[in-house]
């Protein structure tokens, strides 16, 4: 089947569900329009009200398809798949012909994807690096070897050529077990872990029913990836005589690097990150236990309180061990100061 989204701007396609139609709307539409069109793009169209049911926009991608339903899809002009350079300020900690190390701010998406085709770190790096990008896989683009969530701040390294990309990818895949790679974060969590120093060894996989979330899995689960986090409580806030506390500043060293690893692991042991609406939404009311000034700061904090403060790796060309640190960003410093008061 030809990809109808490449035929013309503004074209409409009408699809009627027959008696065999079943499952979620996004999955069914993806199957109907052809495998070249991703499910994530279909979800974006649904979110943008580009899919109608009986003339009314359908915005729930999880809606069940029923026999006889007629859907009308408005197909937009295709997006240019090649990211363009954009003049976005970068906090560059180090740069040479092979790598660039930056301190990523909160709110910056790392890689273009559905819903974020512009304004990403990749767009910023293409503009900043220019001709010094000799290409990854034959394309002049930066090589992303690890990522930070949109609202997580901190140190990242990016490859500028194929050699650097291969070497750094091997280091991150090895998780620092036989080489010098090291990654450490600081997080502000609710409560105080019973053990002030500990290790969380809990495999992670996709959460049932939500591909964007992660969840702890049984080790023998087909979807389970090994995930190990070493943590140490370095400060407690509003500690009580019974050794409990309202919140804690925690240092986390990754032995593996899975999506959302620290956020899921800390929630798994009962201490989710402040500001984490995905994995710690049920703890939001704990702010009411804080003094009024601290409560206001906590309630205004717009993101998960997580900062990648340390990154160490071997330079892909020289073999030199490179060590970088970035101090807590201002918003987390303000949060710590409010909790100390």
């Amino acid at each position: 089947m030809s990809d109808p989204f490449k035929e013309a701007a503004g074209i409409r396609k009408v699809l009627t569900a027959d008696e065999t139609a079943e499952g979620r709307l996004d999955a069914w539409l993806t199957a109907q329009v052809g495998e070249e069109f991703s499910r994530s793009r279909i979800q974006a169209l649904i979110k943008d009200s580009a899919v109608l049911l009986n003339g009314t926009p359908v915005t729930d991608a999880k809606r069940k398809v029923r026999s006889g339903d007629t859907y009308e899809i408005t197909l937009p002009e295709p997006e240019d798949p090649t990211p363009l350079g954009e003049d976005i300020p970068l906090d560059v900690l180090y740069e040479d012909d092979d790598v660039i190390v930056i301190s990523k701010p909160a709110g910056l998406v790392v890689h273009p994807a559905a819903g974020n085709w512009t304004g990403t770190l990749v767009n910023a790096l293409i503009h900043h690096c220019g001709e010094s990008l000799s290409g990854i896989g034959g394309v002049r683009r930066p090589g992303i070897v690890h990522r930070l969530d949109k609202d997580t701040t901190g140190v990242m390294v990016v490859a500028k050529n194929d050699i650097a990309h291969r070497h750094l990818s091997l280091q991150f895949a090895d998780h620092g077990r036989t080489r010098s790679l090291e990654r450490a974060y600081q997080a502000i969590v609710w409560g105080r872990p019973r053990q002030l120093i500990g290790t969380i060894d809990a495999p992670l996989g996709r959460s049932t029913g939500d591909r964007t979330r992660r969840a702890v899995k049984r080790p023998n689960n087909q979807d389970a990836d090994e995930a190990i986090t070493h943590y140490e409580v370095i400060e407690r806030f509003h500690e009580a005589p019974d050794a409990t506390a309202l919140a804690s500043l925690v240092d986390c060293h990754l032995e593996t690097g899975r999506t959302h690893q620290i956020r899921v692991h800390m929630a798994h042991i009962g201490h989710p990150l402040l500001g984490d609406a995905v994995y710690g939404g049920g703890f939001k009311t704990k702010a009411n236990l804080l003094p009024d000034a601290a409560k206001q700061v906590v309630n205004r904090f717009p993101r998960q309180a997580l900062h990648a403060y340390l990154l160490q790796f071997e330079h892909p060309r020289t073999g030199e061990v490179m060590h970088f640190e970035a101090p807590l960003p201002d918003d987390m410093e303000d949060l710590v100061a409010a909790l100390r008061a």
Side-chain angles (χ1 to χ4, degrees), residues 317-335:
R317 191 176 298 274
T318 67
E320 178 186 357
V321 176
M322 312 287 286
H323 183 99
F324 300 93
E325 294 191 24
L328 280 179
D330 291 343
D331 62 347
M332 284 186 66
E333 286 280 14
D334 292 343
L335 186 57

Side-chain angles (χ1 to χ4, degrees), residues 95 124-135 140-141 160:
E95 183 176 8
L125 289 169
I126 290 173
H127 174 85
H128 173 87
C129 297
E131 293 300 313
S132 68
L133 292 174
S134 64
R140 191 181 296 279
R141 61 183 174 86
K160 297 174 71 174

Side-chain angles (χ1 to χ4, degrees), residues 75-316:
L75 313 176
E77 185 73 28
E79 304 244 16
D80 186 347
T82 304
L84 302 177
E86 298 179 52
D87 188 5
I88 300 170
L90 291 174
D91 182 2
V92 179
L93 305 181
Y94 174 83
E95 183 176 8
D96 61 22
D97 291 340
D98 298 296
V99 299
I100 180 170
V101 181
I102 62 106
S103 181
K104 189 187 89 64
L108 182 64
V109 175
V110 170
H111 203 280
N116 292 289
W117 294 111
T118 60
T120 71
L121 176 60
V122 166
N123 298 109
L125 289 169
I126 290 173
H127 174 85
H128 173 87
C129 297
E131 293 300 313
S132 68
L133 292 174
S134 64
I136 308 295
V139 179
R140 191 181 296 279
R141 61 183 174 86
I144 303 298
V145 293
H146 69 126
R147 303 190 184 197
L148 296 177
D149 296 336
K150 173 184 176 182
D151 290 325
T152 297
T153 55
V155 188
M156 285 188 64
V157 60
V158 179
K160 297 174 71 174
N161 53 56
D162 265 329
I163 293 175
H165 189 253
R166 286 196 298 270
H167 280 260
L168 289 173
S169 295
L170 288 172
Q171 290 184 55
F172 278 89
D174 180 62
H175 303 302
R177 287 169 174 165
T178 62
R179 305 179 77 168
S180 300
L181 182 75
E182 183 178 356
R183 288 171 289 172
Y185 295 67
Q186 287 189 341
I188 304 172
V189 305
W190 286 113
R192 196 208 87 162
R194 183 175 302 174
Q195 294 182 326
L196 296 182
I197 300 176
T199 296
I200 306 169
D201 185 349
L204 299 180
R206 283 195 173 95
S207 177
T208 303
D210 188 340
R211 294 173 61 86
T212 63
R213 287 173 59 108
R214 295 298 183 268
V216 171
K217 300 283 187 174
R218 294 181 181 276
N220 59 354
N221 192 293
Q222 186 177 2
D223 185 34
D225 291 318
E226 181 185 31
I228 301 173
T229 302
H230 305 284
Y231 73 86
E232 179 178 1
V233 177
I234 55 179
E235 188 171 356
R236 284 98 74 186
F237 306 109
H238 298 278
E239 192 167 27
D242 63 357
T244 61
L246 292 183
S248 301
L249 180 63
V250 180
D251 189 289
C252 297
H253 281 248
L254 295 184
E255 187 172 323
T256 60
R258 307 302 179 190
T259 301
H260 299 177
Q261 179 172 316
I262 293 173
R263 297 167 63 187
V264 179
H265 271 176
M266 296 311 298
H268 177 63
I269 65 171
H271 302 284
L273 276 58
L274 271 69
D276 193 339
V278 176
Y279 300 105
F283 282 68
K284 189 174 182 180
T285 56
K286 285 190 174 292
N288 295 328
L289 301 174
L290 294 166
D292 286 343
K295 179 172 68 174
Q296 292 179 24
V297 174
V298 170
N299 285 337
R300 288 197 303 266
F301 198 75
R303 65 182 183 91
Q304 66 267 7
L306 184 62
H307 174 67
Y309 76 90
L310 182 152
L311 177 64
Q312 178 178 288
F313 59 91
E314 292 180 16
H315 192 280

